Amino acid sequence: MLKNLKSLFIVDDSEEENKPKQESAKNDDTKSDKNPPTKTPPPLPNKVVNSGSSGVIDAKIIEKLLQAIEKNNLEGFDYLEYKKSLKALEKMPMDEATKYRSAFATASTMGVTLDKLLQTTNFYIGVLDKENEQFLGAFKNQFNDKVSGREREVAQFESIIKEKSAEIKKLTEEIAKHQKQITDLKGKIEESNAKINKTQNDFKLSYDHLKSQLEEDKVKMQKYLK
C-alpha cells in the first residue's frame, strides 16, 4: 500500500531516468506542432530537492508522512482512490480539468460525491496536521535540548569568563602593585645594606685605630715603667 501511495505522490527513479528519452522522441515527432498538449505539473520527486535556503523537500520525511496516511486509510472509495484514478489518466492527452472530471465520473458510478471527496481529503490533511504537531513537539524538545540548553551553557560560560577576566585583571593589577613594592624594597635594601656596610667599615677602622693606640701604650708602659 505504501508503495502505491508513493507512486501517487512521488516520481519513480526509473520514470525520471526515462523522461529525457521519451521527451526527446516526442520533440522529434512534434517539431512542427505549434500547439503541444497541455502538461500537468509533475508530482513531488523522490529525491531531496532544493526549495530555497530555508529547507529542502526530503523524500524520507515524505515517506514518513505517507506512512501516517496509509495507517489511517479510510474504508471504501475516497480521496486516495480518486487520486489513483487521476494517476491512471496522467499520461492521457487531456488537460487538467478534463482529467479531474473524468476521474470523478468514474467515482460517481460508485456513489461517490464531491462532498465525500472533500471530506476525506480534509481527513487526510488532518492526519498530516497531526504529524506536523507531533513533529513540532519533538522539534521543540530537541531545540530546547540541543540549542536553547546549549545557548544557556554558552551564556553561563561567558558569564564565568567575564568574572574570571575581572579576577585576572584584579590579580594583574595586584601583581603589578606587588612588583613595584618589591622594586621599592630592593632599592631600600640596597640603600640600607650600603649604609650598614659603611657603618661596619667605619666602626672597624675606628676600632682598629683606637685599639692600636692602646696596644702601643701598653707596650710602652711595660718598657718604660719597669
Side-chain angles (χ1 to χ4, degrees), residues 1-10 12 63 66 70:
M1 180 61 187
L2 178 60
K3 185 176 180 181
N4 292 335
L5 280 179
K6 289 174 69 175
S7 70
L8 297 181
F9 296 94
I10 301 174
D12 185 70
E63 183 168 337
L66 290 177
E70 177 194 15

mmCIF file of all heavy atoms in Angstrom, residues 1-10 12 63 66 70:
data_model
loop_
_atom_site.group_PDB
_atom_site.id
_atom_site.type_symbol
_atom_site.label_atom_id
_atom_site.label_comp_id
_atom_site.label_asym_id
_atom_site.label_seq_id
_atom_site.Cartn_x
_atom_site.Cartn_y
_atom_site.Cartn_z
ATOM 1 N N MET A 1 0.833 -1.209 0.000
ATOM 2 C CA MET A 1 0.000 0.000 0.000
ATOM 3 C C MET A 1 0.858 1.245 0.000
ATOM 4 O O MET A 1 0.598 2.207 -0.708
ATOM 5 C CB MET A 1 -0.922 -0.004 1.231
ATOM 6 C CG MET A 1 -1.833 1.215 1.311
ATOM 7 S SD MET A 1 -2.941 1.341 -0.107
ATOM 8 C CE MET A 1 -3.689 2.938 0.182
ATOM 9 N N LEU A 2 1.933 1.232 0.831
ATOM 10 C CA LEU A 2 2.815 2.403 0.895
ATOM 11 C C LEU A 2 3.450 2.663 -0.463
ATOM 12 O O LEU A 2 3.565 3.811 -0.889
ATOM 13 C CB LEU A 2 3.900 2.194 1.952
ATOM 14 C CG LEU A 2 4.925 3.335 2.075
ATOM 15 C CD1 LEU A 2 4.238 4.637 2.447
ATOM 16 C CD2 LEU A 2 5.984 2.985 3.121
ATOM 17 N N LYS A 3 3.843 1.577 -1.154
ATOM 18 C CA LYS A 3 4.452 1.726 -2.475
ATOM 19 C C LYS A 3 3.462 2.372 -3.440
ATOM 20 O O LYS A 3 3.826 3.230 -4.252
ATOM 21 C CB LYS A 3 4.891 0.363 -2.996
ATOM 22 C CG LYS A 3 5.644 0.434 -4.326
ATOM 23 C CD LYS A 3 6.130 -0.943 -4.743
ATOM 24 C CE LYS A 3 6.886 -0.860 -6.068
ATOM 25 N NZ LYS A 3 7.362 -2.190 -6.521
ATOM 26 N N ASN A 4 2.181 1.968 -3.327
ATOM 27 C CA ASN A 4 1.151 2.560 -4.178
ATOM 28 C C ASN A 4 0.963 4.035 -3.869
ATOM 29 O O ASN A 4 0.797 4.861 -4.767
ATOM 30 C CB ASN A 4 -0.177 1.809 -3.995
ATOM 31 C CG ASN A 4 -0.105 0.397 -4.538
ATOM 32 O OD1 ASN A 4 0.690 0.101 -5.422
ATOM 33 N ND2 ASN A 4 -0.932 -0.490 -3.993
ATOM 34 N N LEU A 5 0.976 4.361 -2.569
ATOM 35 C CA LEU A 5 0.833 5.768 -2.178
ATOM 36 C C LEU A 5 2.000 6.598 -2.712
ATOM 37 O O LEU A 5 1.815 7.710 -3.201
ATOM 38 C CB LEU A 5 0.779 5.890 -0.651
ATOM 39 C CG LEU A 5 -0.559 5.583 0.030
ATOM 40 C CD1 LEU A 5 -0.427 5.716 1.533
ATOM 41 C CD2 LEU A 5 -1.640 6.522 -0.485
ATOM 42 N N LYS A 6 3.200 6.033 -2.603
ATOM 43 C CA LYS A 6 4.380 6.757 -3.092
ATOM 44 C C LYS A 6 4.279 7.007 -4.590
ATOM 45 O O LYS A 6 4.691 8.055 -5.084
ATOM 46 C CB LYS A 6 5.656 5.968 -2.770
ATOM 47 C CG LYS A 6 6.011 5.966 -1.295
ATOM 48 C CD LYS A 6 7.186 5.071 -0.997
ATOM 49 C CE LYS A 6 8.469 5.623 -1.563
ATOM 50 N NZ LYS A 6 9.646 4.814 -1.164
ATOM 51 N N SER A 7 3.714 6.055 -5.294
ATOM 52 C CA SER A 7 3.578 6.230 -6.743
ATOM 53 C C SER A 7 2.587 7.335 -7.081
ATOM 54 O O SER A 7 2.639 7.917 -8.163
ATOM 55 C CB SER A 7 3.133 4.910 -7.388
ATOM 56 O OG SER A 7 1.788 4.603 -7.036
ATOM 57 N N LEU A 8 1.673 7.630 -6.151
ATOM 58 C CA LEU A 8 0.691 8.695 -6.388
ATOM 59 C C LEU A 8 1.286 10.083 -6.185
ATOM 60 O O LEU A 8 0.872 11.043 -6.836
ATOM 61 C CB LEU A 8 -0.512 8.525 -5.444
ATOM 62 C CG LEU A 8 -1.342 7.256 -5.591
ATOM 63 C CD1 LEU A 8 -2.490 7.265 -4.602
ATOM 64 C CD2 LEU A 8 -1.858 7.109 -7.021
ATOM 65 N N PHE A 9 2.237 10.187 -5.259
ATOM 66 C CA PHE A 9 2.755 11.500 -4.895
ATOM 67 C C PHE A 9 4.220 11.717 -5.270
ATOM 68 O O PHE A 9 4.714 12.826 -5.208
ATOM 69 C CB PHE A 9 2.613 11.718 -3.383
ATOM 70 C CG PHE A 9 1.187 11.746 -2.915
ATOM 71 C CD1 PHE A 9 0.573 10.599 -2.444
ATOM 72 C CD2 PHE A 9 0.451 12.917 -2.982
ATOM 73 C CE1 PHE A 9 -0.745 10.618 -2.014
ATOM 74 C CE2 PHE A 9 -0.871 12.945 -2.557
ATOM 75 C CZ PHE A 9 -1.482 11.794 -2.071
ATOM 76 N N ILE A 10 4.930 10.639 -5.625
ATOM 77 C CA ILE A 10 6.362 10.746 -5.871
ATOM 78 C C ILE A 10 6.702 10.152 -7.224
ATOM 79 O O ILE A 10 6.206 9.096 -7.596
ATOM 80 C CB ILE A 10 7.176 9.994 -4.783
ATOM 81 C CG1 ILE A 10 6.851 10.587 -3.409
ATOM 82 C CG2 ILE A 10 8.662 10.076 -5.045
ATOM 83 C CD1 ILE A 10 7.489 9.840 -2.269
ATOM 84 N N ASP A 12 8.840 8.069 -9.709
ATOM 85 C CA ASP A 12 9.763 6.938 -9.571
ATOM 86 C C ASP A 12 11.079 7.258 -10.272
ATOM 87 O O ASP A 12 11.114 7.947 -11.290
ATOM 88 C CB ASP A 12 9.137 5.698 -10.206
ATOM 89 C CG ASP A 12 10.005 4.465 -9.987
ATOM 90 O OD1 ASP A 12 10.085 4.012 -8.842
ATOM 91 O OD2 ASP A 12 10.599 3.988 -10.973
ATOM 92 N N GLU A 63 7.981 10.085 2.927
ATOM 93 C CA GLU A 63 7.610 8.686 3.138
ATOM 94 C C GLU A 63 6.998 8.477 4.522
ATOM 95 O O GLU A 63 6.020 7.742 4.673
ATOM 96 C CB GLU A 63 8.835 7.786 2.964
ATOM 97 C CG GLU A 63 8.511 6.307 3.093
ATOM 98 C CD GLU A 63 9.657 5.417 2.646
ATOM 99 O OE1 GLU A 63 10.496 5.880 1.859
ATOM 100 O OE2 GLU A 63 9.698 4.256 3.096
ATOM 101 N N LEU A 66 3.504 9.744 4.408
ATOM 102 C CA LEU A 66 2.653 8.819 3.665
ATOM 103 C C LEU A 66 2.342 7.570 4.492
ATOM 104 O O LEU A 66 1.258 6.986 4.372
ATOM 105 C CB LEU A 66 3.331 8.422 2.347
ATOM 106 C CG LEU A 66 3.414 9.533 1.283
ATOM 107 C CD1 LEU A 66 4.178 9.045 0.062
ATOM 108 C CD2 LEU A 66 2.033 10.030 0.887
ATOM 109 N N GLU A 70 -1.231 6.048 5.212
ATOM 110 C CA GLU A 70 -1.523 4.621 4.998
ATOM 111 C C GLU A 70 -2.139 3.998 6.249
ATOM 112 O O GLU A 70 -3.111 3.238 6.174
ATOM 113 C CB GLU A 70 -0.228 3.888 4.633
ATOM 114 C CG GLU A 70 -0.411 2.388 4.466
ATOM 115 C CD GLU A 70 0.912 1.645 4.450
ATOM 116 O OE1 GLU A 70 1.928 2.236 4.841
ATOM 117 O OE2 GLU A 70 0.909 0.470 4.069
#
